[in-house]
Amino acid sequence: MAFALPPDALRDFRRALGEDGVLTDRAELGTAECATFQTFQKIPAILRPADRTAVSEAVRVANRHGIAIYPVSSGKNWGYGSRVPVADGCALLDLSRLNNIIEFNEKLGYVTVEPGVTQQALFDFLRAQKSNLWIDATGSSPNCSLIGNAVERGFGHTPYSDHFANLCGLEVVLPSGEVIDTGFSGLPSARTGPVYRWGVGPILDGLFSQSNFGIVTRATVWLMPAPEYFQAFFFQCAADDALPALIDALRPLRLDGTLRSAIHIGNDYKVLAGIQQFPWGESLPLSPARMQELRGKLKFTRWSGSGALYGTRRQVAEARRLLRLALAGKVDRLRFLDDRMIRIASRFTRPYRMVTGLDLTRTLDLLKPVYGLLKGIPTNSTLGSAYWRKRMSVPADPHPDRDGCGLLWCAPVAQTDGKEARKLVDLAETTLLAHGFEPMISLTLLTERSLASVISISYDRAIPGEDEKAMACYRDLEEHLTREGFYSYRLGIASMDFQANRDSYSRLLQDIKDALDPNGVLAPGRYVPLTHQQKGQLA
Amino acid sequence: MAFALPPDALRDFRRALGEDGVLTDRAELGTAECATFQTFQKIPAILRPADRTAVSEAVRVANRHGIAIYPVSSGKNWGYGSRVPVADGCALLDLSRLNNIIEFNEKLGYVTVEPGVTQQALFDFLRAQKSNLWIDATGSSPNCSLIGNAVERGFGHTPYSDHFANLCGLEVVLPSGEVIDTGFSGLPSARTGPVYRWGVGPILDGLFSQSNFGIVTRATVWLMPAPEYFQAFFFQCAADDALPALIDALRPLRLDGTLRSAIHIGNDYKVLAGIQQFPWGESLPLSPARMQELRGKLKFTRWSGSGALYGTRRQVAEARRLLRLALAGKVDRLRFLDDRMIRIASRFTRPYRMVTGLDLTRTLDLLKPVYGLLKGIPTNSTLGSAYWRKRMSVPADPHPDRDGCGLLWCAPVAQTDGKEARKLVDLAETTLLAHGFEPMISLTLLTERSLASVISISYDRAIPGEDEKAMACYRDLEEHLTREGFYSYRLGIASMDFQANRDSYSRLLQDIKDALDPNGVLAPGRYVPLTHQQKGQLA
């Protein structure tokens, strides 16, 4: 496969994007070829368009020369493949220079941004505007792209946690280089593009999420107004068998709207990896029996959860009452935390402990990032867990790709049902332990009826053989999960062939792909199965 | 254009659907060719498949013989074209025999249905199951199809009012006759099809809403659990200029989730048409000055609104407090109504009047259907307003097509913003009055950020010249609205050429259409502009 672009293609890309818009430095390309697991794909160039017109131009050049291009926004798709293209030989189309905040509407609660705008950038912008609006941040890097995460259907922690559900009015560069706007956006004098998602006629937004049908160069992100009052809650369950009843107790509150945001539950391994790196000296993998001892020693529990209540003081008080009622007997501890309590606790940890019997000092350090996320404050503290099995300490600027952190994420969805959740967790824990990895698992009550699990395989890429071992584990896990009907909401670049199993569904995707991208230049293989013909062209 | 199917096509359709599955009786076809406004399209046959396999077969026969087919569910698309196809010469594909309720899940709050299942059928089913789940009903006919309304993006009155947003896991017969399932549905052993809408990979659901890309033969509809407590509210504003402040006062409550359901506001003409038919003796159209007198005489106001609060008693109490606070000084009257009050009022209208000073007897008769809709109880009482200018009384089984009711609906969307709403209403009222029609207008705060207006042109088709006059008014209205950026969320069959203006967007729609339906057999012209080639074929 191509390690370098043909000279005439390179010339045309440079003409379209400028000299500094095309990178071919081998070291730089090598960095981009590196993910948190083993990949073999080579990248012949990195294209860095400065604006949407340049994106269109780059796409046209790609068509002219038959060069495959692979768009990334910020490229922080860690655990799923980082910046690495699905197919070998794709030029990377890096959209990070498109970083304008185009429109901001405090009254109607939205912002229109380009793909280079990060969580942190929007957060800072809103602060500077003294805005009353909150963002919803993922627990990934503060520097991950809002649009990139939303079109990958990532999620966060506030009532706006389903990111794609809060995206609207997409500007898309099609594989032909033509530009469209979805919904009402782009219609002459239209005033409702950013506020009403469906528009009129077929709804096309979904085509540009988890796909290779177009490049989203602009979108409106809805933002929630800060509530009068906010209170986070944290709960713990010591018993191994507590999970099903816990899920079943939370479901009605999620269904009836008392809980408006995603609730996150982690198993003990997940919590431990949030507290510290692998306790070297222990044997690999940490066994459930050993975990039980560690839980006693380090004072954490088999299951831990977090969520928050948003509203007026009285709305929150009523939600708190209902939550207490629902979780009574289902959890061993349920604590509520608000800004005032944090201020008090930070100042007077000793008197606070005397009053409440709770030592908040250490707890607060661990909880603060989660507490912040529940209010949409980006954090990079969660990235530390990617260093779980590294024998280096977590650097100030964590960068899993660079530091050889091994990380594979699998994200199956289940019904919000205790038995189903238990089955999923059992499957994941058994499989990972059998392959020699600690099963770090989170369960997020993402929507009213479904939960998304994130299962992490965390390892040290520097150790020979671990890459292969981790991938074998991942394959095994995927196979077990799908056999039981737990399909992932999102795929890593090593799993994209999954859709190929769907017969008429795959053919439909391919028909659309052929119609929109007859030369197959845009992100070949990404979520849309290659036709036999395309496979031949790539081979 | 074809008034009858070619004999060999007819033979093949009969083979595929059975003798009783193909209707060619001229009287029956004539009925189906009749909408609530003037149409010229002829229907050569009505195809009535009994199940999904027969739908596929019918589509295959259509392809083989180059016969265009036009699917309808219950065909109650009143005001937008009823059952009449967009293009001339289409055979009607009537899906009403596909009326099975496939799956019902009380715990997770959903039901999987076929397109022939009506609002009333589901309502009755849930009653029979003693289910705690509510449906969301439109104010149209109880016999309208759940799926038909949802894929047209209709809306109702409860927190699940955005019907398409509460639809999931579509089974679709493609124009090729092949069948796909969207989202996770249809994957082997999948357990999350009905609970998680996005699935994995490109989201295709939107392609099959307001389109001609496929025939939805099954879908899951999410249902809300009945709240512990329910309270409806009704408000009135006497002043003509009250609207902007009212909208602006409601917006924050809709944005912050205090108001979880659509709020409906009607102008005086809309309310009058809900109370009675045209007051014959008055001159046409009823002028604003005359309306003012009628308002005084009949005790209604310039603006009236309704909505409801759902939750525990305390949640509702807090929402009520916030609503009162927000509407103080913005409305002249704000009344709350719950089941208990209705029971008391019905039994003791006299003592109730003595205590409250409010005469509920007549009010209750008018409010009960609206009150019911706020709880998802279907009603056909709102159909009466289609008889506004008819000189017959509203029959027990209202049927606007049959009775020559003239009705054109235009449904522009606006930002939830007082000034915008006022501008839209002014435009609509001025235009309709100038054309000699009473402007009946509703504004629905449909989503957190947008409102949908429904503007009715109501007339008597029996009067010569009125059809043409109404259509001229409709065209004028559309032109004014779109010039000001107020685009409709939904189109009547006479307005489908609208999308043709969108250049690259139209081409994209056409490219998808060509890829999926190369023979152009499925509902030509419906929301997707015809290519020049297709126009030639139809001409």
Side-chain angles (χ1 to χ4, degrees):
Chain A
M1 212 56 254
F3 281 62
L5 292 182
D8 52 343
L10 198 57
R11 184 202 58 214
D12 285 1
F13 277 124
R14 289 215 161 102
R15 227 174 251 170
L17 307 177
E19 282 297 319
D20 61 340
V22 184
L23 310 182
T24 54
D25 176 64
R26 198 31 19 232
E28 207 140 7
L29 299 178
T31 305
E33 288 160 359
C34 183
T36 60
F37 50 85
Q38 194 170 29
T39 56
F40 300 97
Q41 294 88 318
K42 289 289 172 189
I43 297 172
I46 300 176
L47 311 172
R48 303 191 71 238
D51 55 28
R52 194 250 292 151
T53 311
V55 174
S56 277
E57 273 312 300
V59 171
R60 290 202 167 96
V61 173
N63 270 288
R64 215 149 58 222
H65 294 280
I67 306 289
I69 51 174
Y70 189 84
V72 295
S73 300
S74 68
K76 305 283 189 297
N77 197 22
W78 288 322
Y80 300 107
S82 308
R83 284 184 286 176
V84 181
V86 175
D88 196 13
C90 296
L92 208 61
L93 186 71
D94 173 352
L95 302 171
S96 60
R97 284 171 75 190
L98 283 76
N99 61 359
N100 293 298
I101 295 174
I102 311 271
E103 197 198 339
F104 164 60
N105 190 317
E106 175 82 24
K107 196 171 64 176
L108 288 161
Y110 69 81
V111 67
T112 303
V113 296
E114 294 183 329
V117 176
T118 63
Q119 303 193 120
Q120 190 67 47
L122 179 57
F123 183 79
D124 293 343
F125 171 84
L126 293 173
R127 284 246 161 139
Q129 299 283 326
K130 303 196 192 311
S131 168
N132 189 45
L133 300 171
W134 281 3
I135 74 164
D136 184 281
T138 68
S140 178
S141 166
N143 300 317
C144 93
S145 157
L146 292 162
I147 288 183
N149 186 265
V151 298
E152 272 300 286
R153 306 208 280 270
F155 51 84
H157 297 67
T158 76
Y160 284 41
S161 60
D162 184 348
H163 289 175
F164 187 74
N166 289 288
L167 203 71
C168 179
L170 278 50
E171 177 190 81
V172 182
V173 174
L174 298 175
S176 63
E178 284 196 280
V179 181
I180 60 146
D181 292 271
T182 67
F184 285 131
S185 297
L187 283 164
S189 324
R191 307 179 63 75
T192 46
V195 293
Y196 180 77
R197 61 193 282 110
W198 308 134
V200 61
I203 302 163
L204 303 183
D205 291 19
L207 285 186
F208 305 107
S209 170
Q210 294 191 354
S211 85
N212 58 12
F213 296 149
I215 302 166
V216 180
T217 48
R218 182 184 294 190
T220 291
V221 177
W222 290 334
L223 304 174
M224 74 175 276
E228 175 193 303
Y229 182 55
F230 163 84
Q231 198 169 40
F233 60 86
F234 300 90
F235 53 83
Q236 277 94 36
C237 307
D240 177 62
D241 61 0
L243 187 67
L246 175 64
I247 300 278
D248 289 336
L250 289 168
R251 183 185 53 241
L253 298 184
R254 197 76 182 86
L255 252 182
D256 74 13
T258 297
L259 293 177
R260 294 167 55 203
S261 64
I263 312 301
H264 294 256
I265 300 168
N267 71 350
D268 45 2
Y269 288 99
K270 180 86 185 173
V271 171
L272 185 63
I275 299 175
Q276 60 167 63
Q277 290 175 269
F278 188 89
W280 294 111
E282 302 283 346
S283 55
L284 288 165
L286 270 180
S287 69
R290 192 64 196 111
M291 273 304 278
Q292 195 171 357
E293 290 163 25
L294 283 171
R295 291 201 301 264
K297 202 174 109 192
L298 297 170
K299 305 259 177 278
F300 65 100
T301 50
R302 179 70 172 106
W303 310 102
S304 306
S306 62
L309 308 173
Y310 308 80
T312 62
R313 288 202 165 258
R314 289 185 208 187
Q315 284 170 337
V316 169
E318 174 63 353
R320 193 168 57 234
R321 183 182 75 85
L322 295 167
L323 184 67
R324 278 209 174 105
L325 213 59
L327 295 188
K330 311 288 192 305
V331 299
D332 296 297
R333 175 177 277 181
L334 172 63
R335 297 279 176 192
F336 294 89
L337 200 60
D338 65 10
D339 289 352
R340 191 163 155 272
M341 286 166 75
I342 285 201
R343 272 198 308 275
I344 294 175
S346 305
R347 284 185 212 152
F348 312 105
T349 47
R350 193 176 304 175
Y352 189 81
R353 186 172 58 231
M354 286 170 65
V355 173
T356 65
L358 194 66
D359 179 11
L360 274 183
T361 327
R362 182 163 165 279
T363 316
L364 271 181
D365 286 344
L366 296 170
L367 289 187
K368 263 185 184 169
V370 183
Y371 181 85
L373 278 173
L374 291 164
K375 302 175 72 172
I377 302 171
T379 175
N380 67 11
S381 74
T382 55
L383 274 181
S385 66
Y387 292 75
W388 167 247
R389 285 238 193 138
K390 295 299 289 184
R391 293 208 181 235
M392 62 190 279
S393 57
V394 181
D397 64 329
H399 198 304
D401 293 340
R402 178 198 63 202
D403 295 331
C405 301
L407 186 62
L408 280 157
W409 273 344
C410 182
V413 177
Q415 300 174 11
T416 303
D417 175 279
K419 270 190 204 161
E420 297 283 311
R422 180 77 239 193
K423 193 170 164 188
L424 192 162
V425 167
D426 282 348
L427 240 163
E429 292 191 336
T430 311
T431 307
L432 265 71
L433 286 168
H435 282 268
F437 299 99
E438 292 76 26
M440 298 155 195
I441 300 171
S442 70
L443 299 170
T444 301
L445 274 64
L446 182 57
T447 73
E448 286 85 348
R449 292 166 179 80
S450 66
L451 58 86
S453 175
V454 176
I455 303 159
S456 311
I457 304 173
S458 193
Y459 65 101
D460 185 354
R461 294 199 63 201
I463 299 174
E466 286 286 287
D467 265 339
E468 292 77 4
K469 222 179 102 185
M471 190 53 79
C473 174
Y474 182 69
R475 294 286 179 217
D476 204 19
L477 177 65
E478 274 193 317
E479 198 191 311
H480 280 97
L481 288 171
T482 55
R483 196 188 300 148
E484 296 297 330
F486 299 118
Y487 288 91
S488 287
Y489 87 91
R490 179 177 185 175
L491 301 176
I493 56 166
S495 307
M496 292 291 176
D497 52 352
F498 156 78
Q499 294 273 10
N501 301 324
R502 291 183 83 173
D503 288 346
S504 52
Y505 193 87
S506 297
R507 272 197 298 279
L508 172 59
L509 292 179
Q510 289 168 337
D511 286 347
I512 297 173
K513 178 69 174 169
D514 284 346
L516 270 58
D517 187 10
N519 300 320
V521 294
L522 193 59
R526 185 163 179 82
Y527 285 105
V528 175
L530 296 169
T531 58
H532 285 296
Q533 193 199 343
Q534 287 164 340
K535 276 185 191 156
Q537 282 168 356
L538 286 172
Chain B
M1 211 58 247
F3 281 61
L5 293 182
D8 52 342
L10 199 58
R11 183 203 57 216
D12 283 1
F13 277 126
R14 289 215 161 105
R15 229 174 248 169
L17 307 177
E19 282 298 319
D20 60 341
V22 184
L23 310 181
T24 53
D25 175 64
R26 195 41 3 240
E28 206 139 7
L29 299 179
T31 305
E33 288 160 359
C34 182
T36 59
F37 49 86
Q38 195 170 29
T39 57
F40 300 98
Q41 295 88 318
K42 289 289 171 188
I43 298 171
I46 300 176
L47 311 173
R48 305 190 70 239
D51 54 30
R52 194 251 291 149
T53 311
V55 174
S56 277
E57 272 312 298
V59 171
R60 291 203 166 95
V61 173
N63 271 288
R64 215 150 57 223
H65 295 279
I67 307 289
I69 51 174
Y70 189 84
V72 295
S73 298
S74 68
K76 306 281 190 298
N77 197 20
W78 288 321
Y80 299 107
S82 307
R83 283 184 287 176
V84 180
V86 175
D88 196 13
C90 295
L92 207 62
L93 186 71
D94 173 353
L95 302 171
S96 60
R97 284 171 75 191
L98 283 77
N99 61 358
N100 293 297
I101 296 174
I102 311 272
E103 197 197 339
F104 164 60
N105 190 318
E106 175 83 23
K107 196 172 63 177
L108 288 161
Y110 69 81
V111 68
T112 303
V113 296
E114 293 184 329
V117 176
T118 63
Q119 304 194 118
Q120 189 67 47
L122 179 57
F123 183 79
D124 293 342
F125 171 83
L126 293 174
R127 284 247 159 138
Q129 299 283 326
K130 302 195 192 311
S131 169
N132 189 45
L133 300 172
W134 281 3
I135 74 164
D136 184 280
T138 68
S140 177
S141 166
N143 299 318
C144 92
S145 157
L146 292 162
I147 287 183
N149 186 267
V151 298
E152 273 298 288
R153 306 208 279 270
F155 51 83
H157 298 67
T158 76
Y160 284 40
S161 60
D162 184 347
H163 289 176
F164 188 72
N166 289 289
L167 203 70
C168 179
L170 278 51
E171 177 189 82
V172 182
V173 174
L174 297 175
S176 63
E178 282 196 282
V179 181
I180 61 145
D181 292 271
T182 68
F184 285 132
S185 297
L187 283 165
S189 323
R191 306 179 64 75
T192 47
V195 294
Y196 180 78
R197 60 192 284 110
W198 309 133
V200 63
I203 302 164
L204 303 183
D205 291 19
L207 284 185
F208 305 107
S209 170
Q210 293 190 354
S211 85
N212 57 13
F213 295 150
I215 302 166
V216 180
T217 48
R218 183 185 293 190
T220 291
V221 177
W222 290 335
L223 303 174
M224 74 175 276
E228 175 193 304
Y229 183 54
F230 163 84
Q231 196 168 42
F233 60 85
F234 300 90
F235 53 84
Q236 277 94 38
C237 307
D240 178 60
D241 62 0
L243 188 67
L246 176 64
I247 300 279
D248 289 336
L250 289 168
R251 183 184 53 241
L253 298 183
R254 197 77 182 85
L255 252 182
D256 74 12
T258 297
L259 293 177
R260 295 167 55 204
S261 64
I263 313 301
H264 294 257
I265 299 168
N267 72 350
D268 45 0
Y269 289 98
K270 181 86 185 172
V271 171
L272 185 62
I275 298 174
Q276 61 165 64
Q277 290 174 270
F278 189 89
W280 294 112
E282 302 284 344
S283 54
L284 288 166
L286 271 180
S287 70
R290 193 65 195 109
M291 273 304 277
Q292 196 170 358
E293 291 164 24
L294 282 173
R295 291 201 301 265
K297 201 173 111 193
L298 297 171
K299 306 255 178 280
F300 64 100
T301 49
R302 179 71 171 106
W303 311 101
S304 305
S306 62
L309 309 173
Y310 307 81
T312 61
R313 287 203 164 258
R314 290 186 208 185
Q315 284 171 337
V316 169
E318 173 63 353
R320 194 169 55 235
R321 182 182 76 86
L322 295 167
L323 184 67
R324 278 210 174 105
L325 213 59
L327 294 188
K330 310 288 191 304
V331 300
D332 296 295
R333 174 177 277 181
L334 172 63
R335 297 280 175 190
F336 294 89
L337 199 59
D338 65 9
D339 289 351
R340 192 164 154 270
M341 287 165 74
I342 285 202
R343 271 199 309 273
I344 293 175
S346 304
R347 283 188 211 149
F348 311 106
T349 47
R350 193 175 304 174
Y352 189 82
R353 186 173 56 229
M354 285 170 66
V355 174
T356 65
L358 194 68
D359 179 11
L360 273 183
T361 326
R362 183 163 162 279
T363 316
L364 271 182
D365 286 344
L366 296 170
L367 289 187
K368 263 184 183 170
V370 183
Y371 181 84
L373 279 174
L374 291 163
K375 304 175 70 172
I377 302 171
T379 174
N380 67 13
S381 74
T382 54
L383 273 180
S385 65
Y387 292 75
W388 168 246
R389 284 235 193 141
K390 295 298 290 185
R391 294 208 180 234
M392 64 191 277
S393 56
V394 181
D397 63 330
H399 198 303
D401 294 339
R402 179 197 61 203
D403 295 332
C405 301
L407 186 62
L408 280 158
W409 273 344
C410 184
V413 178
Q415 299 175 12
T416 304
D417 176 278
K419 269 190 206 161
E420 297 283 311
R422 179 78 239 193
K423 193 170 165 189
L424 192 161
V425 168
D426 282 349
L427 240 163
E429 291 191 338
T430 311
T431 308
L432 263 72
L433 286 167
H435 283 268
F437 298 100
E438 291 78 24
M440 299 156 196
I441 301 171
S442 70
L443 299 170
T444 301
L445 273 66
L446 182 56
T447 73
E448 286 85 347
R449 293 166 178 79
S450 65
L451 58 84
S453 174
V454 176
I455 303 160
S456 311
I457 303 174
S458 193
Y459 65 101
D460 186 354
R461 295 199 61 201
I463 299 174
E466 286 285 288
D467 265 337
E468 292 78 3
K469 221 177 104 186
M471 190 53 78
C473 174
Y474 182 67
R475 294 284 180 220
D476 203 20
L477 177 65
E478 274 193 319
E479 199 192 311
H480 280 97
L481 288 171
T482 56
R483 196 188 301 149
E484 296 297 330
F486 299 118
Y487 289 91
S488 287
Y489 87 92
R490 179 179 186 176
L491 301 176
I493 57 167
S495 307
M496 292 291 175
D497 51 353
F498 156 78
Q499 294 273 8
N501 301 325
R502 291 182 83 173
D503 289 348
S504 52
Y505 193 86
S506 296
R507 273 196 298 279
L508 173 59
L509 292 179
Q510 289 168 337
D511 286 347
I512 297 172
K513 178 69 175 171
D514 285 345
L516 270 58
D517 186 11
N519 301 321
V521 295
L522 194 59
R526 186 162 179 83
Y527 285 105
V528 175
L530 296 169
T531 57
H532 285 296
Q533 192 199 343
Q534 288 164 339
K535 276 184 190 154
Q537 282 168 358
L538 285 172

